[in-house]
Amino acid sequence: MRLESHPIVDFKRGKEVTIYFNGKPVKAYEGESVAAALYAAGVRVFSRSFRFHRPRGFFCAIGKCSQCMMEVNGVPNVRTCKIYVKDGMQIRTQNSIPDAENDALAIFDKIIDTVFPHGSHYKKFNRSAKLREFATKQMRKLAGFGNPPKSVPDVDAEYEIIETDVAVIGGGPGGMSAAIHAGKYGARVIVMDENPFLGGQLVKQTHRFFGSAKERAGTRGIKIAKILEEELLSYDNVEVRKETKVFGVYGNEVAAVEKDRKLLRVKAKKIVIATGAYERTLIFENNDLPGVYGAGGVQTLMNVYGIKPGERGLIIGSGNVGLILTYQLLQAGVDVAAIVEAMPRVGGYFVHAAKVRRLGVPIYTRHTIVRAVGNKRVEGAVVAQLDDRWQPVPGTEKKFDVDFICVAVGLSPAHELLYHVKAQMKFVPELGGLVPLRTKYNETSVEGIYVAGDVAGIEEATAAIMEGRIAGLHAAMSLGYGGEDVKKELEEAVKDIEAFRAGPFGERICHGLEKCTLEKEVSL
Amino acid sequence: MSNYLERGYLEREDLPPFPPEERLTSGKPVAYIECVQPIPCSPCYESCRFDAIQMDNINDPPKLDYEKCTGCMACIRVCPGLAIFMLQIKDGKGYVTIQYEFLPWLQKGDRVKLYNRKGEEVGEGTVTWALNPERNDRTQLVTIEMNKDLIYEVRAVRKR
Ligand SMILES: Cc1cc2nc3c(=O)[nH]c(=O)nc-3n(C[C@H](O)[C@H](O)[C@H](O)COP(=O)(O)OP(=O)(O)OC[C@H]3O[C@@H](n4cnc5c(N)ncnc54)[C@H](O)[C@@H]3O)c2cc1C
Ligand code: SF4
Ligand code: SF4
Ligand code: FES
């Protein structure tokens, strides 16, 4: 299942190592995540749901959905898509007997379902708080929370205090651009990212990007990540910490853990939050079966690790992500049965749709998926036409034989850290969900806390780069760096992003922004 | 407005005007741009040193001046939409140059199947020129010889 050749990417695999999955040896390569290595070895069932013990596969592959949790070297509930293989690593599925693949407890699914049909507990135990508490407790017992480790790991945690001007959380295009533009004018900057690499979502975007030449249009996303990283590393006053997860922001201090054991306490005058987004899912029958994946999850598997997600897939959603993913699957030699879109027309750019249409992939507009078929993994999908009230039209069902289904229905901002700082938030559908109020310089309602990229509203890497530029420049400027030059560039940056959003595709974004722009006066 | 967004491909009435026959047979290929929707994209415009592509702002769909186009192929190298095709007619044969990003890479002399915008097979052709993919960041440019009536139809190829 590992790709040996690919038109665009050369997969450089590390040294071969052996990991143990439920006791059985599995071949893997250094640099692969545990989830990816297991997938390549044919493992599809990663865990079982708490209630009903339903089989679950991975979904997002970026550490944001928790579907891939297993016990790793005795530590329970580890997201296996965010941990990398090491020789001799012991991985076990949890909350199942004897293992997730053949879970005897799955019998509950059948029994309980007859008494409490799916979803009924939402109504059943809500009459009083006491009853709900009692019922929740009983259900927790039934479901279990994995097996907590018996002993405390015997490692010393190091501790480091860092003082800096600007702390940037997230090393995607938004964060890198913010760091570059603050660093360029002399501010001391630290960039933290939980991944062992910079680039965020760009590392899986093998296609050429849109935009203007100034934003490096016509260049592949993977290259843009490299270009930004090189520029970032060229500034001595910018420090990069990889494999560093920020778990809290308390006032002006950022708390992070580096390489899983070293604690960082970063005291920063300005903080830029650029944590990106989550993948959304969609409600349909059996949407929890292994084989139903987020589009980005499939991209990560295929374009970062060079692992084929399957033989034939179905794509739900015809936005740019769905369209590009389809093209990338074809490039990796994977068949795509169809693209299904509920709206009456293609959601993404027409040129992307044309690319896959001429390669023979049909696009069904006004259609939706009604169910995934299969027992322990996806074996097919049923699609139906929608009427004007978005209801499936009886008799229009079509069945596709596919071994995976990609849900490409959009992203939502990853906004947790914004609550730590008590930024004012607002639900803005045009921007993908809950987003912070911000000034036109991307400062939130909390002074000194900035946002950039998808966390501020789902848009594009190009926009993330532009927003990062604005946030970085403003942060540097308000710390007194850069003089007139930085003011000039800031004005230019604001104009650039306005021009970028001026077209029909930017209209929705502008509508959304109107709802969450703070009029707080910011002196230039 | 046309419903090309319902279908995902352009029909005859959605297409930009064809280049004049004299230009097609003039000895140099001419760019033909199938990018009709306003999207924030402009590398084709920025790459053309001959002012052949007009665009008022980044969201304006590109318009091509066939007389100014020299056939230099700068635009087709960078178009992220794979929406630019070079067309030519020579000695009664049609030639279409497209961006190609699949394995195996194509080579001069290869026979390929030809597909139209809907993905239907419409014939066979021969590769007469293939740029080394490494020379264009792995987007290969390939020129396919075909029946001259097919140059407005064929938009994808696959090796047999
Ligand atoms: C299939 C697909 C195609 C796309 N095509 C295009 C395109 O053609 N053109 C375009 O412009 N855009 C495109 N995009 C969009 C683009 O990839 C995103 O908009 C962009 O990456 C957003 O940048 P960001 O910096 O906001 O977030 P991200 O790229 O998501 O980066 C966020 C980073 O923050 C890190 N992080 C998150 N939380 C923490 C924490 N607590 N501690 C430490 N680190 C953390 C993450 O690991 C990640 O590296 C595409 C996206 C997809 C999925
Ligand atoms: S082929 Fe050359 S001259 Fe013609 S439009 Fe493209 S870049 Fe301009
Ligand atoms: S570069 Fe391609 S996709 Fe972009 S505007 Fe030009 S023709 Fe359209
Ligand atoms: S958290 Fe690992 S797949 Fe989502």
Coordinates of all heavy atoms in Angstrom, one line a residue, chain A residues 198-256:
Chain A
L198 N 7.5 22.3 9.7 CA 6.7 23.5 9.5 C 5.8 23.3 8.3 O 6.0 22.5 7.5 CB 7.6 24.7 9.4 CG 8.4 25.1 10.7 CD1 9.4 26.2 10.3 CD2 7.4 25.6 11.8
G199 N 4.9 24.2 8.1 CA 4.1 24.2 6.9 C 2.6 24.0 7.1 O 1.8 24.3 6.2
G200 N 2.2 23.4 8.2 CA 0.8 23.2 8.5 C 0.2 22.4 7.3 O 0.7 21.4 6.9
Q201 N -1.0 22.8 6.8 CA -1.7 22.1 5.8 C -0.9 22.1 4.5 O -1.2 21.3 3.6 CB -3.1 22.7 5.6 CG -3.9 22.8 6.8 CD -4.1 21.5 7.5 OE1 -4.5 20.5 6.9 NE2 -3.8 21.4 8.8
L202 N 0.0 23.0 4.3 CA 0.7 23.1 3.0 C 1.5 21.9 2.7 O 1.7 21.6 1.5 CB 1.6 24.3 3.0 CG 1.0 25.7 3.0 CD1 2.1 26.8 2.9 CD2 0.0 25.9 1.8
V203 N 1.9 21.1 3.7 CA 2.8 20.0 3.4 C 2.1 18.9 2.6 O 2.7 18.0 2.0 CB 3.4 19.4 4.6 CG1 4.2 20.4 5.4 CG2 2.3 18.8 5.5
K204 N 0.8 19.0 2.5 CA 0.1 18.0 1.7 C -0.5 18.5 0.4 O -1.2 17.8 -0.3 CB -1.0 17.2 2.5 CG -1.8 18.2 3.3 CD -2.6 17.4 4.4 CE -3.3 18.4 5.3 NZ -3.9 17.7 6.5
Q205 N -0.3 19.8 0.2 CA -0.9 20.5 -1.0 C 0.1 20.4 -2.2 O 0.9 21.3 -2.4 CB -1.3 21.9 -0.8 CG -2.1 22.2 0.5 CD -3.3 21.3 0.6 OE1 -3.7 20.7 -0.3 NE2 -3.9 21.3 1.8
T206 N 0.0 19.3 -2.9 CA 1.0 19.0 -4.0 C 0.7 19.8 -5.2 O 1.4 19.8 -6.2 CB 1.0 17.5 -4.3 OG1 -0.3 17.1 -4.6 CG2 1.5 16.7 -3.2
H207 N -0.5 20.5 -5.3 CA -0.9 21.2 -6.5 C -0.4 22.6 -6.5 O 0.0 23.1 -5.5 CB -2.4 21.2 -6.6 CG -3.1 21.8 -5.4 ND1 -3.1 21.2 -4.1 CD2 -3.7 23.0 -5.2 CE1 -3.7 22.0 -3.3 NE2 -4.1 23.1 -3.9
R208 N -0.4 23.2 -7.7 CA 0.0 24.6 -7.8 C -1.1 25.5 -7.3 O -2.3 25.2 -7.5 CB 0.2 24.9 -9.3 CG 1.4 24.2 -9.9 CD 1.4 24.4 -11.4 NE 2.5 23.6 -12.0 CZ 3.7 24.1 -12.3 NH1 3.9 25.4 -12.1 NH2 4.6 23.4 -12.9
F209 N -0.7 26.6 -6.6 CA -1.7 27.4 -6.0 C -2.2 28.6 -6.9 O -1.6 29.0 -7.8 CB -1.1 28.0 -4.7 CG -1.3 27.2 -3.5 CD1 -1.4 25.8 -3.6 CD2 -1.4 27.7 -2.2 CE1 -1.6 25.0 -2.5 CE2 -1.6 26.9 -1.1 CZ -1.7 25.6 -1.3
F210 N -3.4 29.0 -6.5 CA -4.0 30.2 -7.2 C -3.5 31.5 -6.5 O -2.8 31.4 -5.5 CB -5.5 30.1 -7.1 CG -6.0 29.1 -8.1 CD1 -6.1 27.8 -7.7 CD2 -6.4 29.4 -9.3 CE1 -6.5 26.8 -8.5 CE2 -6.9 28.5 -10.2 CZ -6.9 27.2 -9.8
G211 N -3.9 32.6 -7.0 CA -3.5 33.9 -6.5 C -2.7 34.6 -7.5 O -2.7 34.4 -8.7
S212 N -1.9 35.6 -6.9 CA -1.1 36.4 -7.9 C 0.3 36.0 -7.7 O 0.7 35.3 -6.7 CB -1.2 37.9 -7.6 OG -0.5 38.2 -6.4
A213 N 1.2 36.3 -8.6 CA 2.6 35.9 -8.5 C 3.2 36.3 -7.2 O 4.1 35.7 -6.7 CB 3.4 36.4 -9.7
K214 N 2.8 37.5 -6.7 CA 3.3 38.0 -5.5 C 3.1 37.0 -4.3 O 3.9 36.9 -3.4 CB 2.6 39.3 -5.2 CG 3.3 40.2 -4.2 CD 2.9 41.6 -4.5 CE 2.7 42.4 -3.2 NZ 1.8 43.6 -3.5
E215 N 2.0 36.4 -4.4 CA 1.7 35.4 -3.3 C 2.1 34.0 -3.8 O 1.7 33.0 -3.3 CB 0.2 35.3 -3.0 CG -0.3 36.3 -2.0 CD -0.4 37.7 -2.6 OE1 -1.0 37.8 -3.7 OE2 0.2 38.6 -2.0
R216 N 3.0 34.0 -4.8 CA 3.6 32.7 -5.3 C 2.5 31.8 -6.0 O 2.6 30.6 -5.8 CB 4.3 32.0 -4.2 CG 5.3 32.9 -3.5 CD 6.0 32.2 -2.4 NE 6.9 33.1 -1.8 CZ 6.6 33.9 -0.7 NH1 5.4 33.8 -0.2 NH2 7.5 34.7 -0.2
A217 N 1.6 32.4 -6.7 CA 0.6 31.5 -7.4 C 1.4 30.8 -8.5 O 2.4 31.2 -9.0 CB -0.4 32.4 -8.0
G218 N 0.9 29.6 -8.9 CA 1.5 28.8 -9.9 C 2.6 27.9 -9.2 O 3.1 27.1 -9.9
T219 N 2.8 28.2 -7.9 CA 3.8 27.4 -7.2 C 3.1 26.3 -6.4 O 2.0 26.6 -5.9 CB 4.6 28.3 -6.3 OG1 5.1 29.4 -7.0 CG2 5.8 27.5 -5.6
R220 N 3.6 25.2 -6.2 CA 3.0 24.1 -5.4 C 3.0 24.5 -4.0 O 3.9 25.0 -3.4 CB 3.7 22.8 -5.6 CG 3.7 22.3 -7.0 CD 4.2 20.9 -7.2 NE 4.4 20.6 -8.6 CZ 3.4 20.4 -9.4 NH1 2.2 20.3 -9.0 NH2 3.6 20.2 -10.7
G221 N 1.9 24.1 -3.3 CA 1.8 24.3 -1.9 C 3.0 23.8 -1.1 O 3.5 24.5 -0.2
I222 N 3.5 22.6 -1.4 CA 4.6 22.0 -0.7 C 5.9 22.9 -0.9 O 6.7 23.0 0.0 CB 4.9 20.6 -1.2 CG1 4.8 20.5 -2.7 CG2 4.0 19.6 -0.5 CD1 5.1 19.1 -3.3
K223 N 6.0 23.6 -2.0 CA 7.1 24.4 -2.3 C 7.0 25.7 -1.5 O 7.9 26.3 -1.0 CB 7.2 24.8 -3.8 CG 7.9 23.8 -4.6 CD 9.2 24.4 -5.1 CE 10.1 23.3 -5.7 NZ 10.1 23.2 -7.2
I224 N 5.7 26.2 -1.4 CA 5.5 27.5 -0.7 C 5.9 27.3 0.8 O 6.5 28.2 1.4 CB 4.0 27.9 -0.8 CG1 3.7 28.2 -2.3 CG2 3.7 29.1 0.0 CD1 2.3 28.6 -2.6
A225 N 5.5 26.1 1.3 CA 5.9 25.8 2.7 C 7.4 25.9 2.8 O 7.9 26.5 3.8 CB 5.5 24.4 3.1
K226 N 8.2 25.4 1.9 CA 9.6 25.4 1.9 C 10.2 26.8 1.8 O 11.1 27.3 2.5 CB 10.2 24.6 0.8 CG 10.2 23.1 1.0 CD 11.5 22.6 1.6 CE 11.4 21.3 2.2 NZ 10.3 21.0 3.1
I227 N 9.6 27.6 0.9 CA 10.0 29.0 0.7 C 9.8 29.8 2.0 O 10.7 30.5 2.4 CB 9.3 29.6 -0.5 CG1 9.6 28.9 -1.8 CG2 9.5 31.1 -0.6 CD1 8.7 29.3 -3.0
L228 N 8.6 29.6 2.6 CA 8.4 30.4 3.8 C 9.3 30.0 4.9 O 9.8 30.8 5.7 CB 6.9 30.1 4.2 CG 5.8 30.8 3.4 CD1 4.4 30.3 3.9 CD2 5.9 32.3 3.5
E229 N 9.6 28.7 5.0 CA 10.4 28.2 6.0 C 11.9 28.7 5.9 O 12.5 29.2 6.9 CB 10.5 26.6 6.0 CG 11.4 26.1 7.1 CD 11.2 24.6 7.3 OE1 10.4 23.9 6.6 OE2 12.0 24.0 8.1
E230 N 12.3 28.7 4.6 CA 13.7 29.2 4.4 C 13.8 30.7 4.8 O 14.8 31.1 5.5 CB 14.1 29.1 2.9 CG 14.8 27.9 2.7 CD 14.9 27.5 1.2 OE1 15.0 28.5 0.4 OE2 14.8 26.3 0.9
E231 N 12.8 31.5 4.5 CA 12.8 32.9 4.8 C 12.8 33.0 6.3 O 13.6 33.8 6.9 CB 11.7 33.6 4.2 CG 11.7 35.1 4.6 CD 10.8 36.0 3.7 OE1 10.1 35.5 2.8 OE2 10.9 37.2 4.0
L232 N 11.9 32.3 7.0 CA 11.8 32.3 8.4 C 13.1 32.0 9.1 O 13.6 32.7 10.0 CB 10.8 31.3 8.8 CG 10.3 31.2 10.3 CD1 9.5 32.4 10.6 CD2 9.5 30.0 10.5
L233 N 13.8 31.0 8.6 CA 15.1 30.6 9.2 C 16.2 31.5 9.0 O 17.2 31.5 9.6 CB 15.4 29.1 8.8 CG 14.4 28.1 9.2 CD1 14.8 26.7 8.7 CD2 14.2 28.0 10.7
S234 N 16.0 32.4 8.0 CA 17.1 33.3 7.7 C 17.2 34.5 8.7 O 18.2 35.2 8.7 CB 16.9 33.9 6.2 OG 15.8 34.8 6.2
Y235 N 16.2 34.6 9.5 CA 16.3 35.7 10.6 C 16.8 35.1 11.9 O 16.3 34.2 12.4 CB 14.9 36.3 10.8 CG 14.4 37.0 9.6 CD1 13.3 36.5 8.9 CD2 14.9 38.2 9.2 CE1 12.8 37.1 7.7 CE2 14.4 38.8 8.0 CZ 13.4 38.3 7.3 OH 12.9 38.9 6.2
D236 N 17.9 35.7 12.3 CA 18.5 35.2 13.6 C 17.7 35.5 14.8 O 17.8 34.8 15.8 CB 19.9 35.9 13.8 CG 20.9 35.4 12.8 OD1 20.7 34.3 12.2 OD2 21.9 36.2 12.5
N237 N 16.8 36.5 14.7 CA 16.0 36.8 15.8 C 14.7 36.0 15.9 O 13.8 36.3 16.7 CB 15.7 38.3 15.8 CG 15.2 38.8 14.5 OD1 15.6 38.3 13.5 ND2 14.4 39.9 14.5
V238 N 14.5 35.1 14.9 CA 13.4 34.2 14.9 C 13.8 32.8 15.3 O 14.7 32.2 14.7 CB 12.7 34.2 13.5 CG1 11.5 33.2 13.6 CG2 12.2 35.6 13.1
E239 N 13.1 32.3 16.3 CA 13.5 31.0 16.8 C 12.3 30.0 16.5 O 11.1 30.4 16.6 CB 13.7 31.0 18.3 CG 14.3 29.8 18.9 CD 14.4 29.9 20.4 OE1 14.4 31.1 21.0 OE2 14.4 28.9 21.1
V240 N 12.6 28.8 16.1 CA 11.6 27.8 15.8 C 11.6 26.6 16.7 O 12.7 26.1 17.0 CB 11.7 27.3 14.3 CG1 10.6 26.3 14.0 CG2 11.6 28.5 13.4
R241 N 10.5 26.3 17.3 CA 10.4 25.1 18.1 C 9.4 24.2 17.5 O 8.2 24.4 17.5 CB 10.0 25.5 19.6 CG 11.0 26.3 20.3 CD 12.2 25.6 20.8 NE 13.1 26.5 21.4 CZ 13.4 26.5 22.7 NH1 12.8 25.6 23.5 NH2 14.3 27.3 23.2
K242 N 9.9 23.0 17.0 CA 9.0 22.0 16.4 C 8.6 21.0 17.5 O 9.2 21.0 18.6 CB 9.7 21.3 15.3 CG 10.0 22.3 14.1 CD 10.7 21.6 13.0 CE 11.2 22.6 12.0 NZ 12.1 21.9 11.0
E243 N 7.7 20.2 17.2 CA 7.2 19.2 18.1 C 6.9 19.8 19.5 O 7.2 19.3 20.5 CB 8.2 18.0 18.3 CG 8.1 17.0 17.2 CD 9.0 15.8 17.4 OE1 8.6 14.9 18.2 OE2 10.1 15.7 16.9
T244 N 6.3 21.0 19.4 CA 6.0 21.8 20.6 C 4.6 22.1 20.6 O 4.1 22.9 19.8 CB 6.9 23.0 20.7 OG1 8.3 22.6 20.6 CG2 6.6 23.8 21.9
K245 N 3.8 21.5 21.5 CA 2.4 21.7 21.6 C 2.1 22.8 22.6 O 2.4 22.6 23.8 CB 1.7 20.4 21.8 CG 0.2 20.6 21.7 CD -0.6 19.3 21.8 CE -2.1 19.6 21.8 NZ -2.6 20.0 20.6
V246 N 1.4 23.8 22.2 CA 0.9 24.8 23.2 C -0.4 24.3 23.8 O -1.3 23.9 23.1 CB 0.7 26.1 22.4 CG1 0.0 27.1 23.4 CG2 2.0 26.7 21.9
F247 N -0.4 24.2 25.1 CA -1.6 23.7 25.7 C -2.4 24.8 26.5 O -3.5 24.6 27.0 CB -1.4 22.5 26.6 CG -0.4 22.7 27.7 CD1 -0.8 23.3 28.9 CD2 1.0 22.4 27.5 CE1 0.1 23.5 29.9 CE2 1.9 22.6 28.6 CZ 1.5 23.1 29.8
G248 N -1.8 26.0 26.6 CA -2.5 27.0 27.3 C -1.9 28.4 27.1 O -0.7 28.5 26.8
V249 N -2.8 29.4 27.1 CA -2.3 30.8 27.1 C -2.9 31.5 28.3 O -4.1 31.5 28.5 CB -2.7 31.5 25.8 CG1 -2.2 32.9 25.8 CG2 -2.3 30.7 24.6
Y250 N -2.0 32.0 29.2 CA -2.5 32.6 30.4 C -2.0 34.0 30.4 O -0.8 34.3 30.6 CB -2.0 31.8 31.6 CG -2.3 30.3 31.5 CD1 -1.3 29.5 31.1 CD2 -3.6 29.9 31.8 CE1 -1.6 28.1 30.9 CE2 -3.9 28.5 31.7 CZ -2.9 27.6 31.2 OH -3.2 26.3 31.1
G251 N -2.9 34.9 30.1 CA -2.4 36.3 30.0 C -1.4 36.5 28.9 O -1.6 36.1 27.8
N252 N -0.2 36.9 29.3 CA 0.9 37.1 28.4 C 1.8 35.9 28.3 O 2.9 36.0 27.7 CB 1.7 38.3 28.7 CG 1.1 39.6 28.2 OD1 0.2 39.5 27.2 ND2 1.4 40.7 28.7
E253 N 1.4 34.8 28.9 CA 2.3 33.7 28.9 C 1.7 32.5 28.1 O 0.6 32.2 28.3 CB 2.6 33.3 30.4 CG 3.3 34.4 31.1 CD 4.0 33.9 32.4 OE1 4.1 32.7 32.5 OE2 4.3 34.8 33.2
V254 N 2.6 31.9 27.4 CA 2.2 30.7 26.6 C 2.8 29.5 27.2 O 4.0 29.5 27.5 CB 2.7 30.9 25.2 CG1 2.3 29.6 24.3 CG2 2.1 32.1 24.5
A255 N 2.0 28.5 27.5 CA 2.5 27.3 28.1 C 2.6 26.2 27.0 O 1.6 25.9 26.3 CB 1.7 26.8 29.2
A256 N 3.7 25.5 26.9 CA 3.8 24.5 25.9 C 4.7 23.3 26.4 O 5.4 23.5 27.4 CB 4.5 25.1 24.6

